[in-house]
Structures are given as structure tokens and as C-alpha cells.
């Protein structure tokens, strides 16, 4: 089941991230007016919206296919993420080769690490595992993939212990609090992923409310709002103490890792959900005018997200006009995204279906083949 307005938001956010990176990582930065720079500076917030949307969509999908086993669930997630991701790796290698880059064993090691979704942002604690060949947006995929993997065992345990839907957010909150305490004791990317799972589950919880009531009431959203607020207090109170009482600067507070960014994630999630609730109560006033038309980008949003940054890095030495370069790269990004989502991914799905039928029921395939030959 697709919710058109969510599709529009997804399309908008994907396009927003592309423009954000065009402004930030190309020569047009110096030519861009200050107010446009400001509007497109919220790349991290855009990724947070993706996390919330992802949790929401997985809830809707789970409601529809709640009899799926973990192998089936895993296969679905794998088929949605990895074919396009692996193609993106190939495009990145091709672009860097054209740019004159010399590959090394370090790049091969980075590729393996990215295949296993171990990539992260540079300033995070632990091993420095960067997105493959500098494809920065992939850091968020390293979170989202593990959110998917955490979801199924958790939902199984919640059902096993018969925990009501309204209370599952508190279980995830406890999970996040413990992870944060462990992170403070021993800073690790693993504990950070476990802690941020609450952000993803906030979207899942909101979907539960929507599926049950087809409406949002403040009392229904209270559990998710209070859970996010508790994490704001747990992370924020030590920061406030350091800043206001001990007079430490933000740079000093973030000396070991960007702890204020972790706080902002929870504050921004609160703001986004409250804003969405208020807009909902005003019947999503002018939604179609503001965001509705972005739904045309929704079908290619995933490919758009993972493929655009390598193309931005492509060198075009034979062209000097900055705006022409911008137009050409934008066209390449859109064409590749359309190819991946509308041709390549459907082909992978059909191939998987044929292989699945072959391995599960070879007699059916043989019989089908004979029938087709006769026809």
C-alpha cells in the first residue's frame, strides 16, 4: 500500500539531498545566493526524515505481510537495497577510473566493508570506515540496513511476550537508553546504531497509530513524543551542564565525538513529528501545492539518493561552463536513476522470481517451459 503524500515527501527529500550536495560540493557554491544556501543546508535533517519514513513504511508493509518469515523478510530487503547499491559501486569505480584515480588494496577493503554496511561518518568514534570512494550519502544506508535487521527480531520478541502496540515504543526507549549508557562508557558505532534505532521506530510507531485510527490524536502520539523527549534530556542535560556551568565551548564538548549532533537528531525528530501533527490537524493545508508534485521523484528516490554523489564527482575537463556542467550531471543522475529503478530493478525482480520458482519447484518450470513451447 502506497500513501501518496508520503511518496511526495520521499521524492522531495531525495531531490533535496541531491541539491544540497550540488551546492556544497561543486563550484556553484560561490555562485549560490545566501538564502538558497541556507535553505539547502539541512542535509542531516533530510536523512532523519528518511529514517522516519522508512520506519513508517516498514510498519505498513509488516501489517500487510505479517506472516513473512525472517528469510522472506531478509530477501525482500536485500533485493530492494543491494542490486542498485552494487550497481552504484560499479558506477563509482568507473567514474573514479575516468577521473584518473589509481585504485589500491585499501579501496578493495573499503568496498568489502561497505558491502557489509559498516560505513560511517568520519567524525564518529571507532574504526574509520568511510563510504566507498567518498560516496557520502551511503553513511545513512549503514544505519538503515541495521535498523531493518534489528526490526524483525524485536517485533518477534514483542509478539512473543504479547507487549501491546502502544507500549512497544517504551521497550525501544529502554533499548536506546542502555545503548547510550554503553556508548558513553565505551564510544562505539555499534552502540550509536542501537541508540538511533529509536528514531527509526518513531516512524514505525506513528504508522501503527495511522493504521489503527486513520487519524492522529495528541494522546496517541504522547508515547513517542515523551520517549524522544526523554532521550533529549538524557543526552542534553550533560551538554547543558558543560556549556552553561563549566563554560565549555561546543568545540570542546564535541572534542571526542559530535555529541551535540546526536542531541540535535532527537530534538529535530520531536520537531518533525509535532510539525507533522499540527499540519495534519490543519488538513495538510496546501500540501499538494507545496510538496505534492514531488511524488514524481518517489519511484526513483532510492537510486537518486545513492547514485548522485559519484556523478557529482565526475570530472568534465572539456567543459568550462559551470551551469552546463550542472545541467549535464543532473541529466546523467536522472537517467541513471530512471534506468536503475524502472529497468534494472524490475529485471532483477523477474530474475529472482524465475530462480525462486526453479529452485523451489523445478517440475513447475519444466512443465511451464514445455507448455510455452507448444503454444
Amino acid at each position: 500500500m502506497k500513501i501518496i503524500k508520503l511518496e511526495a515527501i520521499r521524492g522531495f527529500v531525495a531531490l533535496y539531498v541531491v541539491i544540497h550536495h550540488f551546492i556544497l560540493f561543486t563550484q556553484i557554491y560561490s555562485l549560490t545566493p545566501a538564502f538558497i544556501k541556507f535553505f539547502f543546508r539541512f542535509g542531516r535533517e533530510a536523512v532523519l526524515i528518511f529514517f522516519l519514513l522508512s520506519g513508517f513504511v516498514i510498519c505498513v508493509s509488516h501489517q500487510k505481510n505479517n506472516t513473512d518469515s525472517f528469510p522472506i523478510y531478509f530477501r525482500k530487503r536485500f533485493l530492494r537495497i543491494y542490486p542498485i547499491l552494487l550497481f552504484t559501486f560499479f558506477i563509482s569505480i568507473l567514474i573514479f577510473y575516468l577521473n584518473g584515480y589509481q585504485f589500491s588494496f585499501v579501496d578493495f577493503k573499503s568496498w568489502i566493508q561497505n558491502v557489509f554496511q559498516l560505513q560511517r561518518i568520519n567524525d564518529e568514534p571507532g574504526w574509520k570506515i568511510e563510504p566507498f570512494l567518498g560516496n557520502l550519502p551511503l553513511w545513512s544506508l549503514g544505519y538503515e540496513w541495521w535498523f531493518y535487521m534489528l526490526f524483525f527480531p524485536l517485533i518477534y520478541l514483542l509478539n512473543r511476550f504479547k507487549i501491546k502496540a502502544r507500549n512497544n515504543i517504551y521497550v525501544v526507549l529502554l533499548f536506546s537508553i542502555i545503548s547510550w549508557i554503553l556508548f558513553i562508557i565505551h564510544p562505539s558505532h555499534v552502540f550509536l546504531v542501537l541508540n538511533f534505532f529509536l528514531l527509526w521506530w518513531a516512524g514505525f510507531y506513528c504508522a501503527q497509530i495511522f493504521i489503527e485510527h486513520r487519524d492522529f490524536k495528541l494522546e496517541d502520539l504522547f508515547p513517542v513524543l515523551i520517549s524522544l523527549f526523554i532521550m533529549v534530556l538524557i543526552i542534553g542535560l550533560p551538554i547543558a551542564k558543560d556549556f552553561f556551568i563549566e563554560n565549555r565551548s561546543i568545540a570542546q564538548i564535541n572534542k571526542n565525538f559530535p555529541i551535540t549532533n546526536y542531541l540535535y537528531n532527537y530534538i529535530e525528530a520531536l520537531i518533525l513529528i509535532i510539525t507533522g501533527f499540527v499540519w495534519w490537524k490543519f488538513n495538510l493545508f496546501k500540501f499538494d501545492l507545496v510538496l505534492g508534485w514531488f511524488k514524481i521523484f518517489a519511484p526513483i528516490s532510492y537510486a537518486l539518493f545513492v547514485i548522485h554523489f559519484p556523478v557529482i564527482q565526475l570530472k568534465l575537463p572539456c567543459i568550462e561552463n559551470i551551469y552546463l556542467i550542472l545541467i549535464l550531471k543532473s541529466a546523467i543522475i536522472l537517467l541513471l536513476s530512471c534506468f536503475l529503478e524502472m529497468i534494472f530493478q524490475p529485471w532483477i525482480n523477474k530474475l529472482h522470481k524465475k530462480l525462486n520458482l526453479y529452485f523451489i519447484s523445478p517440475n513447475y518450470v519444466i512443465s511451464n517451459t514445455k507448455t510455452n513451447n507448444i503454444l
Side-chain angles (χ1 to χ4, degrees):
M1 180 178 70
K2 289 188 177 181
I3 302 173
I4 300 300
K5 285 182 169 52
L6 289 186
E7 292 288 288
I9 295 173
R10 187 154 62 101
F12 167 75
V13 174
L15 190 61
Y16 181 97
V17 171
V18 174
I19 297 173
H20 166 76
H21 285 138
F22 259 118
I23 292 174
L24 209 60
F25 292 94
T26 69
Q27 292 174 302
I28 69 167
Y29 180 83
S30 59
L31 304 174
T32 305
F35 76 94
I36 295 181
K37 287 181 186 176
F38 177 80
F39 181 78
F40 285 102
R41 68 185 293 269
F42 302 102
R44 191 185 71 247
E45 290 77 5
V47 170
L48 179 56
I49 294 174
F50 269 132
F51 287 164
L52 293 170
L53 287 175
S54 174
F56 197 105
V57 169
I58 288 295
C59 180
V60 174
S61 175
H62 176 71
Q63 183 75 12
K64 181 181 178 181
N65 306 296
N66 60 6
T67 58
D68 283 355
S69 63
F70 179 74
I72 293 174
Y73 169 80
F74 178 86
R75 190 163 67 241
K76 286 180 178 179
R77 292 295 92 208
F78 184 91
L79 284 171
R80 181 64 189 118
I81 297 296
Y82 272 90
I84 288 177
L85 179 63
L86 293 175
F87 193 96
T88 298
F89 290 151
F90 168 74
I91 292 295
S92 294
I93 293 170
L94 177 61
I95 286 174
F96 270 67
Y97 175 78
L98 293 174
N99 286 347
Y101 181 77
Q102 298 296 315
F103 296 93
S104 66
F105 175 74
V106 174
D107 297 311
F108 177 74
K109 181 180 177 182
S110 172
W111 177 74
I112 295 295
Q113 291 166 336
N114 277 249
V115 166
F116 285 96
Q117 301 294 355
L118 301 176
Q119 68 276 11
R120 62 196 66 172
I121 304 175
N122 269 339
D123 54 7
E124 287 186 5
W127 293 337
K128 301 301 180 186
I129 303 176
E130 298 181 5
F132 182 60
L133 294 179
N135 189 353
L136 296 183
L138 296 187
W139 73 263
S140 63
L141 199 59
Y143 278 91
E144 189 159 354
W145 174 258
W146 294 112
F147 293 159
Y148 290 149
M149 295 302 100
L150 286 168
F151 163 75
F152 202 92
L154 181 57
I155 204 72
Y156 171 80
L157 290 173
L158 291 172
N159 291 334
R160 177 83 179 268
F161 291 100
K162 298 180 180 179
I163 296 175
K164 294 180 180 179
R166 295 298 180 90
N167 296 328
N168 62 35
I169 190 74
Y170 297 123
V171 175
V172 181
L173 170 62
L174 179 62
F175 189 69
S176 290
I177 291 173
I178 294 171
S179 302
W180 182 254
I181 293 171
L182 293 173
F183 176 80
I184 295 300
I185 295 171
H186 179 70
S188 166
H189 177 74
V190 174
F191 296 137
L192 207 56
V193 171
L194 296 175
N195 174 260
F196 285 172
F197 186 53
L198 178 61
L199 297 169
W200 187 89
W201 196 270
F204 182 91
Y205 182 87
C206 290
Q208 287 180 310
I209 299 299
F210 178 77
I211 290 169
E212 184 178 352
H213 300 294
R214 297 290 167 171
D215 193 11
F216 296 105
K217 295 179 181 178
L218 189 57
E219 57 267 30
D220 294 329
L221 291 176
F222 180 79
V224 71
L225 295 176
I226 195 64
S227 297
L228 294 172
F229 184 69
I230 288 172
M231 283 308 306
V232 168
L233 291 179
I234 290 173
I235 301 174
L237 287 177
I239 294 175
K241 174 179 171 289
D242 287 345
F243 187 77
F244 293 107
I245 298 177
E246 299 185 10
N247 295 317
R248 297 179 66 195
S249 67
I250 296 298
Q252 289 173 323
I253 293 172
N254 291 336
K255 181 180 179 181
N256 296 320
F257 42 82
I259 191 170
T260 55
N261 284 346
Y262 307 152
L263 171 63
Y264 296 155
N265 284 331
Y266 282 101
I267 294 175
E268 288 155 0
L270 263 174
I271 293 172
L272 284 169
I273 292 176
I274 292 172
T275 301
F277 170 72
V278 172
W279 202 357
W280 177 268
K281 287 303 177 184
F282 281 92
N283 298 315
L284 299 177
F285 180 73
K286 298 295 183 182
F287 180 94
D288 290 337
L289 178 64
V290 177
L291 296 176
W293 69 276
F294 289 102
K295 66 178 180 290
I296 62 175
F297 295 102
I300 62 170
S301 59
Y302 171 55
L304 201 61
F305 185 79
V306 297
I307 201 72
H308 76 273
F309 205 83
V311 177
I312 286 177
Q313 295 171 303
L314 176 64
K315 294 179 181 178
L316 298 172
C318 55
I319 303 174
E320 296 183 0
N321 187 288
I322 295 174
Y323 297 106
L324 182 57
I325 291 174
L326 174 64
I327 292 170
L328 286 174
K329 288 185 177 181
S330 298
I332 293 170
I333 290 168
L334 286 173
L335 287 172
L336 278 174
S337 299
C338 290
F339 166 75
L340 288 173
E341 293 283 16
M342 298 178 181
I343 299 175
F344 179 70
Q345 185 65 50
W347 176 77
I348 290 291
N349 293 340
K350 289 179 182 178
L351 180 63
H352 167 260
K353 188 176 181 181
K354 287 181 180 178
L355 291 173
N356 197 38
L357 285 173
Y358 177 79
F359 286 111
I360 292 176
S361 181
N363 291 332
Y364 170 81
V365 176
I366 294 171
S367 173
N368 235 21
T369 304
K370 289 179 178 179
T371 303
N372 288 336
N373 288 338
I374 292 171
L375 292 174

